């Protein structure tokens, strides 16, 4: 099963993809995570992407297409994968079509987590942080650790926030979504693979809705 999760920053793509990985064994391919890992390692790609990402702009199609093309040839994605944060432009969507056709693979579904209320997206993103050790996600008001200052999962007391989760970078990210990524909704609707879900619901409700879509496809 090859699945794309589409939606603006803060719509829950990463959260839902992680659950799908745990419950259905489908690896999560997040280009944002891959770029952040490249930055941490200090690779050429990481260095090129660093400032662009901090401002909330899009990294070039050439760079992200390259990292996805390499990733989908790894053995763990043979049975399928979830793309989270890719494609983000029509050029990336065309490149993905070609990558899959070259490998005789087929895109099964694109699930759009639709949220049009930008204030809600800013609220979600500007309050979020993760455990620095295990990556468990938290939010200043929605999901605090049970014991203040310690991760529920691993007990670590170190947390981190993404440098692009500020209100200012978020404005740029939302513009990039509206201008560059939103046209993909039409692109995939025309291909007959698009499923639109309400992304405003509780995490578990969205999870159940995604589950229904995937069960129908299976
Ligand atoms: P994300 O973790 O998906 O929110 O991505 C964080 C940042 O990484 C984005 O704001 C972009 O700067 C960059 N990025 C991630 N995926 C892509 C992509 N498919 N195309 C261009 N830039 C991307």
């Amino acid at each position: 099963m090859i699945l794309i999760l589409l939606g603006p920053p803060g719509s829950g793509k990463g959260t839902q993809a992680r659950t799908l990985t745990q419950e259905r064994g489908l690896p999560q391919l997040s280009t944002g995570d891959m770029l952040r890992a490249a930055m941490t390692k200090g690779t050429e790609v990481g260095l090129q992407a660093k400032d662009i990402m901090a401002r909330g702009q899009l990294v070039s199609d050439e760079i992200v297409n390259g990292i996805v093309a390499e990733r989908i040839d790894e053995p763990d994605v043979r049975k399928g994968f979830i793309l989270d944060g890719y494609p983000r432009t029509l050029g990336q969507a065309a490149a993905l079509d070609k990558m899959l056709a070259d490998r005789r693979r087929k895109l099964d579904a694109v699930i759009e987590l639709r949220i049009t209320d930008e204030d809600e997206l800013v609220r979600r993103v500007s309050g979020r942080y993760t455990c620095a050790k295990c990556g468990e996600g938290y939010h200043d008001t929605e999901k605090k650790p049970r014991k203040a200052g310690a991760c529920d999962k691993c007990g670590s007391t170190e947390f981190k926030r993404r440098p692009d989760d500020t209100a200012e970078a978020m404005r740029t990210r939302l513009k990039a979504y509206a201008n560059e990524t939103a046209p993909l909704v039409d692109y995939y609707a025309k291909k007959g693979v698009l499923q639109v879900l309400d992304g405003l619901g509780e995490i578990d409700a969205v999870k159940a809705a995604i589950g229904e879509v995937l069960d129908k496809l299976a």
Side-chain angles (χ1 to χ4, degrees), residues 37 61 119 130 148 188 199:
D61 285 358
D119 291 341
T130 53
Y188 287 119

Side-chain angles (χ1 to χ4, degrees), residues 8-10 13 30-36 49-61 64-65 67-68 84-89 92 128 162 164-165 169 172-173 176 181:
K13 301 183 299 295
S30 155
T31 40
D33 285 350
M34 293 183 219
L35 290 167
R36 280 183 287 275
K50 192 169 184 229
D51 293 339
I52 300 172
M53 286 175 75
R55 286 195 295 268
Q57 295 167 342
L58 292 184
V59 173
S60 74
D61 285 358
V64 284
N65 290 336
I67 58 177
V68 171
D84 155 15
Y86 179 90
R88 256 175 159 101
T89 65
Q92 292 177 21
R128 71 184 179 186
R162 280 172 45 173
D164 59 344
D165 277 350
T172 310
R173 290 162 71 193
T181 313

Side-chain angles (χ1 to χ4, degrees), residues 19 88 124 162 177 194 209:
T19 306
R88 256 175 159 101
R124 285 182 174 200
R162 280 172 45 173
Y177 187 81
L194 182 77

